Amino acid sequence: MSPAIHLVDGTGEIDGTDQDSKLALCQQILGYQFKDPTLLLSALTHASGAVHRLASNERLEFLGDAILGLTVCLWLFEEYPEYNEGDLTKIKSAVVSRRSCGKVAIELGFDRCLIVGRGVTRNRSYPRSLVSDVFESVIAAMYLDGGDEVVRPRLKVWLADEVRHAVESQGSNNFKSTLQQYAQRELASTPVYRLVRDAGPDHRKSFLITAVIADRQFAAAWGSNKKDAEQHAAANALAELHGDPLPFSSDLEETAK
């Protein structure tokens, strides 16, 4: 279930919150004090609460979308070297989607900082994209005020769960890469793969391989070649680490069914 959105206007008539307190709250959430608070004010101002269209967060949203995309692309490029262009594109698209951005924005509390017109607070049929837009506009405001060194580390904290989920779901065909990233991040070790045995004639041989991390050996899995067997072994290791059922069997007859 999605978190509830809490919209208040900038008049102080809904919950006693005025523009100054919203700016203070947002900076507290961000852990960053703006040198130019007018940038943040623009980022938080929805078109319905702006004096005119150019005073709203729409231009900052345009810039923030590009900054968000570049930051996530660099992040994935640097930390997931085994993924190809297609995998990286799918993961990036999931991370920067309106759903992800809106979810993170609400979890952080950006919806409580929005400055909107009274019509929006009275009519609850507003688009769900509203909070994802403010996420992007705040990113742009921070970038303009403090640069990449302010934006990048915060995004890596805010979006860590979204990236992890996207890698595990969108990158499901590359279990070895996912396991390597998990092992290096959580266990300070790199997986190795060991051949347990092989079976069958030379022209149709199968291989049973196990993943090993540090001193822990995980459930082995069969594959019609060593590459597939390693992928299956990595998938089994991930399942064990997360307490999930094993996706691949170590029983050759069962695998052949």
Side-chain angles (χ1 to χ4, degrees), residues 110-183:
F110 287 172
D111 53 322
R112 297 182 182 274
C113 306
L114 266 168
I115 298 166
V116 299
R118 295 186 188 182
V120 175
T121 59
R122 290 171 181 164
N123 180 8
R124 291 295 173 168
S125 63
Y126 50 83
R128 298 287 299 182
S129 62
L130 190 148
V131 284
S132 64
D133 293 344
V134 80
F135 183 75
E136 294 174 344
S137 62
V138 168
I139 288 171
M142 290 178 62
Y143 183 88
L144 293 173
D145 195 76
D148 183 63
E149 61 272 21
V150 170
V151 173
R152 186 184 290 204
R154 285 169 173 78
L155 283 179
K156 294 191 79 169
V157 172
W158 298 341
L159 297 173
D161 287 342
E162 298 300 313
V163 168
R164 188 174 303 117
H165 175 74
V167 167
E168 292 178 356
S169 58
Q170 302 297 326
S172 59
N173 292 327
N174 199 335
F175 297 111
K176 286 182 65 177
S177 180
T178 304
L179 180 62
Q180 178 173 311
Q181 294 300 322
Y182 179 91

Side-chain angles (χ1 to χ4, degrees), residues 18 38 73 76 85 109 116 132-133 159 178 207 211 223-224 229 233 236 239 247:
D18 58 17
T38 62
C73 283
L76 298 177
E85 182 266 347
V116 299
S132 64
D133 293 344
L159 297 173
T178 304
F207 300 88
S224 57
N236 277 357

Side-chain angles (χ1 to χ4, degrees), residues 19-29 40:
Q19 290 185 6
D20 289 340
S21 62
K22 287 186 180 187
L23 291 175
L25 174 60
C26 192
Q27 289 176 103
Q28 180 181 341
I29 291 170
L40 182 58

Side-chain angles (χ1 to χ4, degrees), residues 17-236:
T17 305
D18 58 17
Q19 290 185 6
D20 289 340
S21 62
K22 287 186 180 187
L23 291 175
L25 174 60
C26 192
Q27 289 176 103
Q28 180 181 341
I29 291 170
L30 296 171
Y32 176 72
Q33 195 72 25
F34 274 74
K35 296 184 285 289
D36 181 2
T38 62
L39 282 170
L40 182 58
L41 178 61
S42 294
L44 296 175
T45 303
H46 183 252
S48 65
V51 177
H52 55 83
R53 197 87 183 204
L54 292 178
S56 75
N57 60 7
E58 291 179 349
R59 280 170 50 82
L60 286 171
E61 176 198 337
F62 163 77
L63 178 60
D65 177 66
I67 295 168
L68 174 63
L70 176 60
T71 303
V72 171
C73 283
L74 284 171
W75 180 359
L76 298 177
F77 183 84
E78 292 169 354
E79 295 199 15
Y80 297 92
E82 292 188 18
Y83 278 111
N84 61 33
E85 182 266 347
D87 289 329
L88 292 173
T89 298
K90 288 190 294 183
I91 295 167
K92 179 251 186 181
S93 296
V95 173
V96 304
S97 68
R98 287 192 177 276
R99 183 206 63 81
S100 292
C101 291
K103 175 174 173 285
V104 172
I106 295 170
E107 288 173 347
L108 289 169
F110 287 172
D111 53 322
R112 297 182 182 274
C113 306
L114 266 168
I115 298 166
V116 299
R118 295 186 188 182
V120 175
T121 59
R122 290 171 181 164
N123 180 8
R124 291 295 173 168
S125 63
Y126 50 83
R128 298 287 299 182
S129 62
L130 190 148
V131 284
S132 64
D133 293 344
V134 80
F135 183 75
E136 294 174 344
S137 62
V138 168
I139 288 171
M142 290 178 62
Y143 183 88
L144 293 173
D145 195 76
D148 183 63
E149 61 272 21
V150 170
V151 173
R152 186 184 290 204
R154 285 169 173 78
L155 283 179
K156 294 191 79 169
V157 172
W158 298 341
L159 297 173
D161 287 342
E162 298 300 313
V163 168
R164 188 174 303 117
H165 175 74
V167 167
E168 292 178 356
S169 58
Q170 302 297 326
S172 59
N173 292 327
N174 199 335
F175 297 111
K176 286 182 65 177
S177 180
T178 304
L179 180 62
Q180 178 173 311
Q181 294 300 322
Y182 179 91
Q184 291 176 343
R185 181 180 65 247
E186 304 293 338
L187 306 174
S189 185
T190 299
V192 295
Y193 297 88
R194 294 176 183 167
L195 177 65
V196 177
R197 68 185 181 93
D198 56 39
D202 290 341
H203 67 280
R204 202 172 65 186
K205 196 175 287 292
S206 296
F207 300 88
L208 181 65
I209 287 179
T210 181
V212 180
I213 302 176
D215 295 327
R216 182 175 177 181
Q217 181 170 310
F218 296 87
W222 287 96
S224 57
N225 54 60
K226 288 183 179 179
K227 181 179 178 181
D228 285 346
E230 288 179 355
Q231 288 286 352
H232 297 168
N236 277 357

